[in-house]
Amino acid sequence: MTKEKNPGKGTTVGENAGRSERKALLEICHARKCFGDNEVLHDVDVTVHEGEIVSIIGRSGSGKTTLLRCATLLETIDGGDIIYMGETAVTARFGAIHFAPKETMRRIKDCYGMVFQNFNLFPHWNVLRNITDAPLRVQKREKEEVYAEARELLRKMGLADKEKAYPCELSGGQCQRVAIARALAMNPKILFFDEPTSALDPELTAEVLKVIKSLAEEHMTMVIVTHEMQFARDISDRVIFMDQGVIAIEGSPEEVFSAGNPRMREFLGRYSAEGALQQ
């Protein structure tokens, strides 16, 4: 099925069968975000369902990272609503911004985890403390449970022997895998990735992508901003192509990557020329 949105919001190329039957974990409704006079998000709508993997692609400056930061409340929207599991985190109307009550916001923030492109590990803490600090201090969970879970996560990441190491003693790929383990230690319902391989060389990129693929096999709900086109094509249930602050195209990987949108073809052509997209 092909749906036309209004011209300012792009085209939905197709619908994933059964998606509407799954629970909506995240709803971003009519989101606007400005930095000064520059409006970087223009009336953006995104819904992410339980178990879904959504990749967001587009040129630098298209608004994809800003969208992710607004979704995770690292930036405050200037218009619209951010809703998690039916509870509104923030709503902005006519210059007024309203946040959820403290207890509601705590529940909402427990719903998601974020993996940054530059790891954001604490350099003065070892790997195990980087992973366990937030579950212990923020979620107030039992130490034995948290440490056992952290060690199991490190085993899954192929880092069982690194719990006492410090970030400076790890490769970039290892640091990113620790960052993924740290996010998973909070038991999120949805995991966000902001260009998780952009700071890595090709060999280390493969390590991190393998971990993300393993999470996909476990049906982890994920939203991934990425410049890895073949990876997005292989792993995603849905791909969003952002252009100039709007969702220009949205659909299954096959539909989006074969779309005739001139901006999309130009964007993909650049990656094809660089050997980043294997047709």
Side-chain angles (χ1 to χ4, degrees):
M1 180 175 70
T2 300
K3 288 201 317 186
E4 293 291 333
K5 297 183 179 180
N6 68 59
K9 296 180 69 177
T11 302
T12 299
V13 181
E15 297 290 337
N16 288 333
R19 194 173 70 210
S20 61
E21 299 174 4
R22 289 181 280 176
K23 184 194 310 182
L25 296 185
L26 168 65
E27 298 168 84
I28 301 173
C29 306
H30 303 293
R32 293 177 50 254
K33 177 63 183 175
C34 301
F35 293 106
D37 294 331
N38 182 24
E39 188 174 17
V40 295
L41 294 179
H42 314 281
D43 196 21
V44 172
D45 291 325
V46 176
T47 300
V48 180
H49 295 84
E50 190 172 34
E52 190 175 24
I53 300 168
V54 179
S55 290
I56 304 176
I57 62 174
R59 295 175 179 81
S60 296
S62 62
K64 56 189 189 296
T65 291
T66 299
L67 178 61
L68 215 65
R69 291 180 63 83
C70 288
T72 54
L73 309 180
L74 295 172
E75 300 282 356
T76 302
I77 53 174
D78 296 306
D81 304 277
I82 306 292
I83 303 166
Y84 278 92
M85 299 182 66
E87 295 191 292
T88 300
V90 57
T91 185
R93 297 283 189 281
F94 309 110
I97 300 172
H98 301 281
F99 295 93
K102 185 176 180 180
E103 182 61 26
T104 302
M105 192 65 84
R106 186 194 64 77
R107 286 197 304 272
I108 287 169
K109 289 186 175 181
D110 276 347
C111 287
Y112 62 82
M114 178 77 162
V115 178
F116 300 89
Q117 56 184 295
N118 291 318
F119 324 136
N120 284 17
L121 300 177
F122 291 101
H124 56 293
W125 290 352
N126 66 25
V127 163
L128 193 61
R129 186 170 179 188
N130 264 286
I131 295 172
T132 58
D133 185 71
L136 291 172
R137 290 199 306 115
V138 178
Q139 295 182 331
K140 309 296 184 184
R141 290 163 54 196
E142 292 294 328
K143 183 175 180 179
E144 290 182 3
E145 172 196 342
V146 169
Y147 271 67
E149 187 174 298
R151 289 186 169 112
E152 175 60 18
L153 284 168
L154 284 173
R155 185 193 66 77
K156 289 174 68 175
M157 299 292 147
L159 298 170
D161 60 338
K162 299 296 184 182
E163 68 174 65
K164 295 182 180 179
Y166 287 82
C168 65
E169 300 173 308
L170 304 177
S171 70
Q174 289 171 329
C175 283
Q176 193 61 289
R177 282 182 279 159
V178 172
I180 294 171
R182 178 182 59 183
L184 289 170
M186 299 292 283
N187 294 318
K189 296 183 182 297
I190 181 170
L191 195 55
F192 295 92
F193 292 86
D194 181 18
E195 299 277 14
T197 61
S198 66
L200 306 177
D201 64 35
E203 182 178 355
L204 300 181
T205 290
E207 294 178 2
V208 173
L209 296 183
K210 181 179 179 181
V211 168
I212 298 174
K213 286 181 178 178
S214 73
L215 296 177
E217 291 168 359
E218 296 174 7
H219 308 292
M220 182 75 200
T221 308
M222 294 184 281
V223 179
I224 308 167
V225 169
T226 183
H227 63 278
E228 299 287 342
M229 295 298 104
Q230 190 63 49
F231 172 71
R233 193 174 204 166
D234 291 343
I235 199 173
S236 305
D237 296 304
R238 183 158 46 105
V239 175
I240 292 172
F241 172 61
M242 294 197 67
D243 186 48
Q244 299 179 340
V246 302
I247 294 176
I249 310 175
E250 179 179 4
S252 72
E254 293 77 14
E255 292 164 336
V256 171
F257 284 103
S258 62
N261 181 292
R263 298 281 287 183
M264 182 69 180
R265 301 319 303 167
E266 180 187 347
F267 172 73
L268 291 179
R270 178 164 61 88
Y271 280 95
S272 295
E274 294 171 357
L277 178 63
Q278 300 170 9
Q279 294 289 353

